[in-house]
Amino acid sequence: MRSAVIHGAGDVRVEDRPAPHLLTPGDAVLRVVAACVCGSDLWNYRGVSPVRSPRPIGHELVGVVEDLGADVTSVGVGDLVVVPFSLNCGECQACRAGYPSVCDSMTMVGGLDRAGLQVDGAQGEQVRIPLAQASLRTLGISESEAEARGLIPHLLALSDVMPTGYHAATSAQVGPGDVVAVVGDGAVGLSAVLAARLRGASRIIVMSRHEDRAALAREFGATDVIAERGAEATAAVRALLDGELADAALECVGTKESMDQALAVVRGGGNVGFVGVPAGGPELHVRDLFTRNIGVKGGMASARHYLDVLLPRVLDGTIEPGKVFTHTVSIDDVATAYELMDAREAIKVLVRP
Amino acid sequence: MRSAVIHGAGDVRVEDRPAPHLLTPGDAVLRVVAACVCGSDLWNYRGVSPVRSPRPIGHELVGVVEDLGADVTSVGVGDLVVVPFSLNCGECQACRAGYPSVCDSMTMVGGLDRAGLQVDGAQGEQVRIPLAQASLRTLGISESEAEARGLIPHLLALSDVMPTGYHAATSAQVGPGDVVAVVGDGAVGLSAVLAARLRGASRIIVMSRHEDRAALAREFGATDVIAERGAEATAAVRALLDGELADAALECVGTKESMDQALAVVRGGGNVGFVGVPAGGPELHVRDLFTRNIGVKGGMASARHYLDVLLPRVLDGTIEPGKVFTHTVSIDDVATAYELMDAREAIKVLVRP
């Protein structure tokens, strides 16, 4: 089968790899319907995280079940499923508490499973998915109907980007009537805007300097867009809010600057939800948090856990998170997808096998 | 009037100071019924925070209103009131959000008010209380009835120590059925145990090496006491919980070691509530929080805000937070109160004028 393999910085190739088959009774084999490129895939592509040896890439997909291990009863052959980017056991303490991304057996799509076996990358034609019983969920809609209704991009967004934005909002305890500031206008930041709206925020301020992204932010529910950064951004938020600050800030970048920005625009007693993967290891000063009573929580999203909340909203048309996909390429052109995202010409690129 | 004045490390004296009177229309003057010594008063006493010039001390009290400024209608002359350790305006964004301790006009009892005027220390016979309208609340019980029912110590605990323990629990989002670990067995840690029970925790593990404190912790609702520290304490928690960890940890000390301990005993996706005033400025590694999805929130307690929840529970006998007062002294013996607490012979000392 055809699959994307990253060899090093700037070097993503489509190669023929062995077709996957069941390796354990807990596996499923899926035909990929749609996959995409994540901002975190760009770390390898940009050389920020070096690629030690060539490996399959991609961790977000919608697929159709082709084969099932004997232990998997939660889905059936032929079912259309969303695969959450992190696979989980469903039984450990973190899973039971609704945090599948910190499952004791957490396995990334495209990574190695707990037995050390390669899990196929999502940017390809087929994948073996371990921990399928807890990780997969029947969507209740057929591939053909989803295609006909144009739902595939929106369902694909449920694999990672939309639940990641939603995780920022839940981590910051966003609720009805809240004023929310979103730091970051990438696909995750835009999804965080949508999540804040879904959770009832009354005002959503997004920080953006890109006209196309600001436009989509407004479509997703942003009420205000500010272009300033740093202390000027905080002043701009105060100017919008009659001198006050946001109840919650959603940090969707992962740098020290973005975390400081999120902390600065939140009122005393407010909360920062952070989902930008920390780059450069920013640290939080406990005394600053203490003095202002600011809460901080975040991490990799509970994608599987949120599927039960988000899927019905996609199926009934309340949210259209797939609008973050500004471009679509075929698997043979996957290198173009990386170029478009690296150059910020695309917000997010959908890849069809 | 007689009032405690701290002159330097180990030097607390009782002195005659001018009787307070109304300075602004927002003031109240109170006769002190009972006050006490806080763990944070010991910082000055131990020389950790140097005393630059002699100043009145004490920030926790129950008193009777003697005189009221024209703007104060929330209480009446003769009312018995609990004074929260931090006074607040009731109108700014933080106050409206339920965080009076980060009020724009926040003033400590015993400190300077926003006009730079000295607020009397609680360890004395009388106090002027600014921001009285929002800060004070009629308790609905007379001084004589409260004395007759033995409620004064429990009401006094509502001034600081009990709401501080409760703040740890709310900051960590403790709810029904949760497993909670409490780091610290001082008066605040013991109050945190009581708070966790009040919020429905099913299991409360307290870390203590003092028999008297462990006994009171058990009386307050602790189900388990462990004496270990560091990695051994984490192992002990796992041993109690069939290999799992706590849903929430309440940090009630304020050192790097106690914060690390709190973070270590919490499960993935759990929460740390911290109320130990940070000593030595510990910092939090964002990447560690991200990897385990641990939330961190805390600071000075929303004492006035919690009064509405906690007062009815004291009046109906559900909680007896004043049991943390193991000793009582008269104001003339206030130096003894500091000695007893400094030597850890007392958990907390009540001071009668």
Side-chain angles (χ1 to χ4, degrees), chain A residues 93 96 102 167 173 244-245 269 271 278 282-287 291 293 296-298 300, chain B residues 93 96 102 167 173 244-245 269 271 278 282-287 290-291 293 296-298 300:
Chain A
Q93 188 178 23
R96 298 197 318 271
V102 285
H167 194 56
Q173 302 176 49
E244 299 194 339
L245 291 169
N271 294 287
E283 306 210 340
L284 297 170
H285 299 278
V286 172
R287 184 168 276 278
T291 303
N293 250 291
V296 174
K297 188 169 187 174
M300 292 213 310
Chain B
Q93 188 179 23
R96 297 197 318 272
V102 286
H167 194 58
Q173 303 177 49
E244 300 194 338
L245 291 169
N271 294 288
E283 306 210 341
L284 297 169
H285 299 277
V286 171
R287 184 168 276 276
F290 186 93
T291 304
N293 250 290
V296 175
K297 188 168 186 174
M300 291 213 310

mmCIF file of all heavy atoms in Angstrom, chain A residues 93 96 102 167 173 244-245 269 271 278 282-287 291 293 296-298 300, chain B residues 93 96 102 167 173 244-245 269 271 278 282-287 290-291 293 296-298 300:
data_model
loop_
_atom_site.group_PDB
_atom_site.id
_atom_site.type_symbol
_atom_site.label_atom_id
_atom_site.label_comp_id
_atom_site.label_asym_id
_atom_site.label_seq_id
_atom_site.Cartn_x
_atom_site.Cartn_y
_atom_site.Cartn_z
ATOM 1 N N GLN A 93 -6.795 4.019 35.294
ATOM 2 C CA GLN A 93 -7.377 5.113 36.065
ATOM 3 C C GLN A 93 -7.599 6.367 35.220
ATOM 4 O O GLN A 93 -8.661 7.005 35.307
ATOM 5 C CB GLN A 93 -6.459 5.441 37.256
ATOM 6 C CG GLN A 93 -7.084 6.442 38.215
ATOM 7 C CD GLN A 93 -6.215 6.745 39.420
ATOM 8 O OE1 GLN A 93 -5.002 6.563 39.394
ATOM 9 N NE2 GLN A 93 -6.838 7.205 40.483
ATOM 10 N N ARG A 96 -10.557 5.870 32.836
ATOM 11 C CA ARG A 96 -11.841 5.912 33.546
ATOM 12 C C ARG A 96 -12.194 7.337 33.949
ATOM 13 O O ARG A 96 -13.364 7.707 34.042
ATOM 14 C CB ARG A 96 -11.807 5.008 34.786
ATOM 15 C CG ARG A 96 -11.583 3.525 34.462
ATOM 16 C CD ARG A 96 -11.961 2.609 35.643
ATOM 17 N NE ARG A 96 -11.532 3.118 36.921
ATOM 18 C CZ ARG A 96 -10.348 2.878 37.496
ATOM 19 N NH1 ARG A 96 -9.444 2.124 36.884
ATOM 20 N NH2 ARG A 96 -10.048 3.377 38.682
ATOM 21 N N VAL A 102 -3.575 10.244 28.568
ATOM 22 C CA VAL A 102 -2.560 9.886 29.553
ATOM 23 C C VAL A 102 -2.792 8.463 30.064
ATOM 24 O O VAL A 102 -2.370 8.102 31.166
ATOM 25 C CB VAL A 102 -2.459 10.906 30.714
ATOM 26 C CG1 VAL A 102 -1.759 12.163 30.233
ATOM 27 C CG2 VAL A 102 -3.811 11.274 31.297
ATOM 28 N N HIS A 167 -10.359 20.741 24.318
ATOM 29 C CA HIS A 167 -9.605 20.447 25.551
ATOM 30 C C HIS A 167 -9.099 21.742 26.189
ATOM 31 O O HIS A 167 -9.085 21.866 27.424
ATOM 32 C CB HIS A 167 -8.434 19.515 25.227
ATOM 33 C CG HIS A 167 -7.799 18.876 26.419
ATOM 34 N ND1 HIS A 167 -8.506 18.128 27.321
ATOM 35 C CD2 HIS A 167 -6.513 18.869 26.866
ATOM 36 C CE1 HIS A 167 -7.682 17.671 28.266
ATOM 37 N NE2 HIS A 167 -6.467 18.123 28.002
ATOM 38 N N GLN A 173 -12.086 25.508 32.007
ATOM 39 C CA GLN A 173 -13.422 25.538 32.620
ATOM 40 C C GLN A 173 -14.338 26.585 31.991
ATOM 41 O O GLN A 173 -15.123 27.251 32.683
ATOM 42 C CB GLN A 173 -13.314 25.776 34.136
ATOM 43 C CG GLN A 173 -12.472 24.721 34.849
ATOM 44 C CD GLN A 173 -12.295 25.020 36.346
ATOM 45 O OE1 GLN A 173 -13.253 25.302 37.055
ATOM 46 N NE2 GLN A 173 -11.073 24.951 36.823
ATOM 47 N N GLU A 244 -11.395 45.596 31.933
ATOM 48 C CA GLU A 244 -11.297 44.294 32.606
ATOM 49 C C GLU A 244 -10.529 43.288 31.747
ATOM 50 O O GLU A 244 -9.988 43.634 30.694
ATOM 51 C CB GLU A 244 -12.709 43.816 32.961
ATOM 52 C CG GLU A 244 -13.385 44.820 33.910
ATOM 53 C CD GLU A 244 -14.638 44.293 34.587
ATOM 54 O OE1 GLU A 244 -15.247 43.335 34.084
ATOM 55 O OE2 GLU A 244 -14.997 44.848 35.648
ATOM 56 N N LEU A 245 -10.489 42.040 32.221
ATOM 57 C CA LEU A 245 -9.746 41.007 31.507
ATOM 58 C C LEU A 245 -10.644 39.804 31.259
ATOM 59 O O LEU A 245 -11.803 39.781 31.669
ATOM 60 C CB LEU A 245 -8.497 40.608 32.323
ATOM 61 C CG LEU A 245 -7.407 41.695 32.398
ATOM 62 C CD1 LEU A 245 -6.336 41.332 33.430
ATOM 63 C CD2 LEU A 245 -6.743 41.903 31.029
ATOM 64 N N GLY A 269 -8.306 34.978 39.498
ATOM 65 C CA GLY A 269 -9.224 33.862 39.691
ATOM 66 C C GLY A 269 -9.612 33.155 38.406
ATOM 67 O O GLY A 269 -10.375 32.192 38.441
ATOM 68 N N ASN A 271 -8.775 31.234 34.487
ATOM 69 C CA ASN A 271 -8.110 29.983 34.143
ATOM 70 C C ASN A 271 -7.484 30.021 32.759
ATOM 71 O O ASN A 271 -8.083 30.549 31.828
ATOM 72 C CB ASN A 271 -9.110 28.827 34.179
ATOM 73 C CG ASN A 271 -9.634 28.566 35.580
ATOM 74 O OD1 ASN A 271 -8.920 28.044 36.430
ATOM 75 N ND2 ASN A 271 -10.868 28.973 35.840
ATOM 76 N N PRO A 278 4.411 22.311 24.612
ATOM 77 C CA PRO A 278 5.436 23.239 25.093
ATOM 78 C C PRO A 278 6.749 23.109 24.331
ATOM 79 O O PRO A 278 7.363 22.041 24.306
ATOM 80 C CB PRO A 278 5.621 22.834 26.560
ATOM 81 C CG PRO A 278 4.374 22.118 26.924
ATOM 82 C CD PRO A 278 3.940 21.410 25.672
ATOM 83 N N PRO A 282 8.816 26.351 28.738
ATOM 84 C CA PRO A 282 8.542 27.500 29.606
ATOM 85 C C PRO A 282 8.179 27.004 30.993
ATOM 86 O O PRO A 282 7.645 25.917 31.156
ATOM 87 C CB PRO A 282 7.347 28.179 28.945
ATOM 88 C CG PRO A 282 6.683 27.108 28.142
ATOM 89 C CD PRO A 282 7.786 26.192 27.699
ATOM 90 N N GLU A 283 8.482 27.809 32.000
ATOM 91 C CA GLU A 283 8.131 27.426 33.361
ATOM 92 C C GLU A 283 7.159 28.440 33.943
ATOM 93 O O GLU A 283 7.117 29.589 33.516
ATOM 94 C CB GLU A 283 9.400 27.333 34.205
ATOM 95 C CG GLU A 283 10.410 26.398 33.556
ATOM 96 C CD GLU A 283 11.300 25.688 34.525
ATOM 97 O OE1 GLU A 283 11.428 26.139 35.658
ATOM 98 O OE2 GLU A 283 11.865 24.650 34.134
ATOM 99 N N LEU A 284 6.384 27.989 34.883
ATOM 100 C CA LEU A 284 5.388 28.849 35.515
ATOM 101 C C LEU A 284 5.869 29.234 36.901
ATOM 102 O O LEU A 284 6.293 28.374 37.671
ATOM 103 C CB LEU A 284 4.062 28.103 35.632
ATOM 104 C CG LEU A 284 3.414 27.696 34.315
ATOM 105 C CD1 LEU A 284 2.250 26.761 34.573
ATOM 106 C CD2 LEU A 284 2.937 28.926 33.562
ATOM 107 N N HIS A 285 5.769 30.514 37.210
ATOM 108 C CA HIS A 285 6.170 30.986 38.528
ATOM 109 C C HIS A 285 5.002 30.798 39.492
ATOM 110 O O HIS A 285 3.961 31.429 39.343
ATOM 111 C CB HIS A 285 6.591 32.446 38.462
ATOM 112 C CG HIS A 285 7.756 32.659 37.548
ATOM 113 N ND1 HIS A 285 9.056 32.436 37.939
ATOM 114 C CD2 HIS A 285 7.813 32.996 36.253
ATOM 115 C CE1 HIS A 285 9.864 32.660 36.925
ATOM 116 N NE2 HIS A 285 9.132 33.003 35.886
ATOM 117 N N VAL A 286 5.196 29.915 40.443
ATOM 118 C CA VAL A 286 4.123 29.595 41.380
ATOM 119 C C VAL A 286 3.648 30.841 42.112
ATOM 120 O O VAL A 286 2.454 31.042 42.321
ATOM 121 C CB VAL A 286 4.591 28.517 42.377
ATOM 122 C CG1 VAL A 286 3.560 28.330 43.479
ATOM 123 C CG2 VAL A 286 4.808 27.201 41.648
ATOM 124 N N ARG A 287 4.588 31.707 42.477
ATOM 125 C CA ARG A 287 4.197 32.892 43.234
ATOM 126 C C ARG A 287 3.280 33.801 42.403
ATOM 127 O O ARG A 287 2.335 34.392 42.931
ATOM 128 C CB ARG A 287 5.435 33.656 43.710
ATOM 129 C CG ARG A 287 5.108 34.853 44.587
ATOM 130 C CD ARG A 287 6.324 35.417 45.276
ATOM 131 N NE ARG A 287 6.660 34.734 46.496
ATOM 132 C CZ ARG A 287 6.077 34.980 47.691
ATOM 133 N NH1 ARG A 287 5.124 35.881 47.790
ATOM 134 N NH2 ARG A 287 6.428 34.324 48.764
ATOM 135 N N THR A 291 -0.416 34.756 43.554
ATOM 136 C CA THR A 291 -0.805 36.147 43.782
ATOM 137 C C THR A 291 -2.094 36.494 43.052
ATOM 138 O O THR A 291 -2.917 37.266 43.548
ATOM 139 C CB THR A 291 0.329 37.082 43.309
ATOM 140 O OG1 THR A 291 1.516 36.722 44.002
ATOM 141 C CG2 THR A 291 0.000 38.537 43.584
ATOM 142 N N ASN A 293 -4.252 34.056 41.756
ATOM 143 C CA ASN A 293 -5.229 32.959 41.799
ATOM 144 C C ASN A 293 -5.601 32.447 40.402
ATOM 145 O O ASN A 293 -6.761 32.136 40.114
ATOM 146 C CB ASN A 293 -6.492 33.417 42.546
ATOM 147 C CG ASN A 293 -6.644 32.741 43.910
ATOM 148 O OD1 ASN A 293 -6.895 31.552 44.000
ATOM 149 N ND2 ASN A 293 -6.465 33.520 44.959
ATOM 150 N N VAL A 296 -4.060 26.854 35.920
ATOM 151 C CA VAL A 296 -3.430 26.440 34.670
ATOM 152 C C VAL A 296 -3.630 24.939 34.511
ATOM 153 O O VAL A 296 -3.321 24.171 35.422
ATOM 154 C CB VAL A 296 -1.917 26.755 34.677
ATOM 155 C CG1 VAL A 296 -1.242 26.200 33.439
ATOM 156 C CG2 VAL A 296 -1.683 28.260 34.778
ATOM 157 N N LYS A 297 -4.176 24.538 33.379
ATOM 158 C CA LYS A 297 -4.336 23.103 33.124
ATOM 159 C C LYS A 297 -4.310 22.858 31.622
ATOM 160 O O LYS A 297 -4.809 23.681 30.849
ATOM 161 C CB LYS A 297 -5.654 22.587 33.723
ATOM 162 C CG LYS A 297 -5.788 21.051 33.653
ATOM 163 C CD LYS A 297 -6.942 20.525 34.474
ATOM 164 C CE LYS A 297 -6.920 18.998 34.498
ATOM 165 N NZ LYS A 297 -7.922 18.416 35.386
ATOM 166 N N GLY A 298 -3.765 21.728 31.219
ATOM 167 C CA GLY A 298 -3.770 21.404 29.795
ATOM 168 C C GLY A 298 -2.948 20.178 29.503
ATOM 169 O O GLY A 298 -2.523 19.453 30.399
ATOM 170 N N MET A 300 -2.183 17.011 26.198
ATOM 171 C CA MET A 300 -2.758 16.353 25.019
ATOM 172 C C MET A 300 -4.244 16.123 25.280
ATOM 173 O O MET A 300 -4.657 15.755 26.373
ATOM 174 C CB MET A 300 -2.048 15.034 24.747
ATOM 175 C CG MET A 300 -0.604 15.226 24.303
ATOM 176 S SD MET A 300 -0.051 13.957 23.113
ATOM 177 C CE MET A 300 -0.538 12.462 23.933
ATOM 178 N N GLN B 93 -13.939 43.284 39.177
ATOM 179 C CA GLN B 93 -14.144 42.035 38.438
ATOM 180 C C GLN B 93 -13.830 40.799 39.285
ATOM 181 O O GLN B 93 -14.594 39.828 39.269
ATOM 182 C CB GLN B 93 -13.271 42.041 37.177
ATOM 183 C CG GLN B 93 -13.573 40.867 36.243
ATOM 184 C CD GLN B 93 -12.740 40.884 34.979
ATOM 185 O OE1 GLN B 93 -11.670 41.477 34.933
ATOM 186 N NE2 GLN B 93 -13.235 40.221 33.943
ATOM 187 N N ARG B 96 -16.576 40.240 41.894
ATOM 188 C CA ARG B 96 -17.812 39.726 41.274
ATOM 189 C C ARG B 96 -17.657 38.262 40.885
ATOM 190 O O ARG B 96 -18.628 37.499 40.870
ATOM 191 C CB ARG B 96 -18.186 40.568 40.052
ATOM 192 C CG ARG B 96 -18.503 42.027 40.375
ATOM 193 C CD ARG B 96 -19.268 42.721 39.233
ATOM 194 N NE ARG B 96 -18.787 42.401 37.909
ATOM 195 C CZ ARG B 96 -17.804 43.034 37.254
ATOM 196 N NH1 ARG B 96 -17.174 44.062 37.815
ATOM 197 N NH2 ARG B 96 -17.450 42.668 36.048
ATOM 198 N N VAL B 102 -8.186 38.717 45.556
ATOM 199 C CA VAL B 102 -7.452 39.402 44.489
ATOM 200 C C VAL B 102 -8.220 40.644 44.024
ATOM 201 O O VAL B 102 -8.046 41.114 42.897
ATOM 202 C CB VAL B 102 -7.080 38.473 43.307
ATOM 203 C CG1 VAL B 102 -5.947 37.553 43.729
ATOM 204 C CG2 VAL B 102 -8.256 37.633 42.839
ATOM 205 N N HIS B 167 -10.418 26.561 50.155
ATOM 206 C CA HIS B 167 -9.924 27.079 48.871
ATOM 207 C C HIS B 167 -9.033 26.051 48.178
ATOM 208 O O HIS B 167 -9.071 25.919 46.945
ATOM 209 C CB HIS B 167 -9.147 28.371 49.127
ATOM 210 C CG HIS B 167 -8.871 29.179 47.895
ATOM 211 N ND1 HIS B 167 -9.872 29.640 47.068
ATOM 212 C CD2 HIS B 167 -7.710 29.634 47.347
ATOM 213 C CE1 HIS B 167 -9.339 30.338 46.077
ATOM 214 N NE2 HIS B 167 -8.031 30.346 46.210
ATOM 215 N N GLN B 173 -10.905 21.377 42.548
ATOM 216 C CA GLN B 173 -12.187 20.855 42.044
ATOM 217 C C GLN B 173 -12.614 19.564 42.721
ATOM 218 O O GLN B 173 -13.161 18.655 42.081
ATOM 219 C CB GLN B 173 -12.117 20.658 40.519
ATOM 220 C CG GLN B 173 -11.765 21.936 39.761
ATOM 221 C CD GLN B 173 -11.625 21.709 38.266
ATOM 222 O OE1 GLN B 173 -12.489 21.106 37.625
ATOM 223 N NE2 GLN B 173 -10.529 22.178 37.683
ATOM 224 N N GLU B 244 -3.051 2.886 42.287
ATOM 225 C CA GLU B 244 -3.475 4.128 41.629
ATOM 226 C C GLU B 244 -3.061 5.348 42.444
ATOM 227 O O GLU B 244 -2.358 5.239 43.446
ATOM 228 C CB GLU B 244 -4.985 4.062 41.387
ATOM 229 C CG GLU B 244 -5.335 2.863 40.493
ATOM 230 C CD GLU B 244 -6.744 2.895 39.913
ATOM 231 O OE1 GLU B 244 -7.615 3.576 40.473
ATOM 232 O OE2 GLU B 244 -6.955 2.233 38.874
ATOM 233 N N LEU B 245 -3.500 6.516 41.992
ATOM 234 C CA LEU B 245 -3.127 7.764 42.651
ATOM 235 C C LEU B 245 -4.380 8.567 42.983
ATOM 236 O O LEU B 245 -5.503 8.175 42.649
ATOM 237 C CB LEU B 245 -2.173 8.563 41.750
ATOM 238 C CG LEU B 245 -0.765 7.941 41.585
ATOM 239 C CD1 LEU B 245 0.021 8.643 40.477
ATOM 240 C CD2 LEU B 245 0.015 8.011 42.898
ATOM 241 N N GLY B 269 -4.559 13.791 34.664
ATOM 242 C CA GLY B 269 -5.834 14.504 34.557
ATOM 243 C C GLY B 269 -6.351 15.036 35.876
ATOM 244 O O GLY B 269 -7.404 15.663 35.904
ATOM 245 N N ASN B 271 -5.966 17.196 39.741
ATOM 246 C CA ASN B 271 -5.769 18.610 40.054
ATOM 247 C C ASN B 271 -5.065 18.818 41.386
ATOM 248 O O ASN B 271 -5.354 18.118 42.359
ATOM 249 C CB ASN B 271 -7.121 19.326 40.112
ATOM 250 C CG ASN B 271 -7.806 19.361 38.764
ATOM 251 O OD1 ASN B 271 -7.399 20.087 37.867
ATOM 252 N ND2 ASN B 271 -8.830 18.531 38.597
ATOM 253 N N PRO B 278 3.865 30.385 48.713
ATOM 254 C CA PRO B 278 5.118 29.876 48.136
ATOM 255 C C PRO B 278 6.348 30.474 48.812
ATOM 256 O O PRO B 278 6.547 31.684 48.806
ATOM 257 C CB PRO B 278 5.029 30.310 46.673
ATOM 258 C CG PRO B 278 3.575 30.525 46.408
ATOM 259 C CD PRO B 278 3.016 31.047 47.701
ATOM 260 N N PRO B 282 9.073 28.140 44.225
ATOM 261 C CA PRO B 282 9.161 26.961 43.363
ATOM 262 C C PRO B 282 8.544 27.268 42.006
ATOM 263 O O PRO B 282 7.662 28.110 41.905
ATOM 264 C CB PRO B 282 8.332 25.913 44.103
ATOM 265 C CG PRO B 282 7.400 26.697 44.967
ATOM 266 C CD PRO B 282 8.139 27.948 45.338
ATOM 267 N N GLU B 283 9.034 26.617 40.979
ATOM 268 C CA GLU B 283 8.486 26.833 39.645
ATOM 269 C C GLU B 283 7.910 25.527 39.126
ATOM 270 O O GLU B 283 8.314 24.448 39.533
ATOM 271 C CB GLU B 283 9.577 27.354 38.721
ATOM 272 C CG GLU B 283 10.218 28.592 39.318
ATOM 273 C CD GLU B 283 10.743 29.567 38.293
ATOM 274 O OE1 GLU B 283 10.953 29.172 37.140
ATOM 275 O OE2 GLU B 283 10.916 30.736 38.659
ATOM 276 N N LEU B 284 6.943 25.657 38.224
ATOM 277 C CA LEU B 284 6.283 24.482 37.675
ATOM 278 C C LEU B 284 6.764 24.272 36.247
ATOM 279 O O LEU B 284 6.792 25.212 35.454
ATOM 280 C CB LEU B 284 4.772 24.689 37.667
ATOM 281 C CG LEU B 284 4.128 24.872 39.035
ATOM 282 C CD1 LEU B 284 2.691 25.325 38.881
ATOM 283 C CD2 LEU B 284 4.190 23.558 39.810
ATOM 284 N N HIS B 285 7.099 23.023 35.929
ATOM 285 C CA HIS B 285 7.551 22.708 34.585
ATOM 286 C C HIS B 285 6.326 22.461 33.713
ATOM 287 O O HIS B 285 5.599 21.496 33.917
ATOM 288 C CB HIS B 285 8.464 21.494 34.603
ATOM 289 C CG HIS B 285 9.695 21.721 35.436
ATOM 290 N ND1 HIS B 285 10.805 22.372 34.955
ATOM 291 C CD2 HIS B 285 9.949 21.456 36.721
ATOM 292 C CE1 HIS B 285 11.704 22.478 35.919
ATOM 293 N NE2 HIS B 285 11.205 21.922 37.013
ATOM 294 N N VAL B 286 6.119 23.344 32.750
ATOM 295 C CA VAL B 286 4.931 23.249 31.904
ATOM 296 C C VAL B 286 4.870 21.902 31.193
ATOM 297 O O VAL B 286 3.813 21.296 31.077
ATOM 298 C CB VAL B 286 4.909 24.403 30.884
ATOM 299 C CG1 VAL B 286 3.808 24.182 29.865
ATOM 300 C CG2 VAL B 286 4.705 25.734 31.596
ATOM 301 N N ARG B 287 6.028 21.428 30.758
ATOM 302 C CA ARG B 287 6.032 20.165 30.021
ATOM 303 C C ARG B 287 5.561 19.002 30.913
ATOM 304 O O ARG B 287 4.852 18.106 30.458
ATOM 305 C CB ARG B 287 7.417 19.888 29.430
ATOM 306 C CG ARG B 287 7.471 18.635 28.567
ATOM 307 C CD ARG B 287 8.755 18.549 27.773
ATOM 308 N NE ARG B 287 8.707 19.296 26.539
ATOM 309 C CZ ARG B 287 8.185 18.832 25.390
ATOM 310 N NH1 ARG B 287 7.651 17.631 25.342
ATOM 311 N NH2 ARG B 287 8.188 19.574 24.319
ATOM 312 N N PHE B 290 1.878 19.290 31.191
ATOM 313 C CA PHE B 290 1.301 18.925 29.891
ATOM 314 C C PHE B 290 1.264 17.403 29.722
ATOM 315 O O PHE B 290 0.238 16.830 29.345
ATOM 316 C CB PHE B 290 2.150 19.559 28.777
ATOM 317 C CG PHE B 290 1.597 19.375 27.390
ATOM 318 C CD1 PHE B 290 0.766 20.338 26.830
ATOM 319 C CD2 PHE B 290 1.911 18.255 26.636
ATOM 320 C CE1 PHE B 290 0.260 20.178 25.546
ATOM 321 C CE2 PHE B 290 1.407 18.086 25.352
ATOM 322 C CZ PHE B 290 0.578 19.051 24.807
ATOM 323 N N THR B 291 2.383 16.774 30.022
ATOM 324 C CA THR B 291 2.499 15.329 29.801
ATOM 325 C C THR B 291 1.484 14.543 30.626
ATOM 326 O O THR B 291 0.955 13.541 30.172
ATOM 327 C CB THR B 291 3.924 14.862 30.177
ATOM 328 O OG1 THR B 291 4.846 15.625 29.407
ATOM 329 C CG2 THR B 291 4.111 13.388 29.913
ATOM 330 N N ASN B 293 -1.290 16.077 32.131
ATOM 331 C CA ASN B 293 -2.595 16.743 32.162
ATOM 332 C C ASN B 293 -3.022 17.110 33.590
ATOM 333 O O ASN B 293 -4.196 16.992 33.969
ATOM 334 C CB ASN B 293 -3.666 15.854 31.510
ATOM 335 C CG ASN B 293 -4.140 16.413 30.170
ATOM 336 O OD1 ASN B 293 -4.826 17.436 30.117
ATOM 337 N ND2 ASN B 293 -3.763 15.743 29.089
ATOM 338 N N VAL B 296 -3.261 22.953 38.021
ATOM 339 C CA VAL B 296 -2.731 23.592 39.222
ATOM 340 C C VAL B 296 -3.443 24.921 39.425
ATOM 341 O O VAL B 296 -3.507 25.737 38.494
ATOM 342 C CB VAL B 296 -1.208 23.833 39.087
ATOM 343 C CG1 VAL B 296 -0.677 24.615 40.278
ATOM 344 C CG2 VAL B 296 -0.457 22.518 38.945
ATOM 345 N N LYS B 297 -3.996 25.117 40.596
ATOM 346 C CA LYS B 297 -4.644 26.397 40.888
ATOM 347 C C LYS B 297 -4.591 26.653 42.395
ATOM 348 O O LYS B 297 -4.699 25.723 43.184
ATOM 349 C CB LYS B 297 -6.101 26.390 40.402
ATOM 350 C CG LYS B 297 -6.762 27.763 40.502
ATOM 351 C CD LYS B 297 -8.081 27.845 39.765
ATOM 352 C CE LYS B 297 -8.615 29.280 39.764
ATOM 353 N NZ LYS B 297 -9.823 29.452 38.957
ATOM 354 N N GLY B 298 -4.456 27.918 42.749
ATOM 355 C CA GLY B 298 -4.468 28.239 44.170
ATOM 356 C C GLY B 298 -4.115 29.685 44.423
ATOM 357 O O GLY B 298 -4.060 30.499 43.513
ATOM 358 N N MET B 300 -4.289 32.944 47.713
ATOM 359 C CA MET B 300 -4.964 33.365 48.946
ATOM 360 C C MET B 300 -6.458 33.044 48.802
ATOM 361 O O MET B 300 -7.063 33.223 47.752
ATOM 362 C CB MET B 300 -4.764 34.856 49.180
ATOM 363 C CG MET B 300 -3.311 35.201 49.527
ATOM 364 S SD MET B 300 -3.176 36.603 50.677
ATOM 365 C CE MET B 300 -4.214 37.825 49.890
#
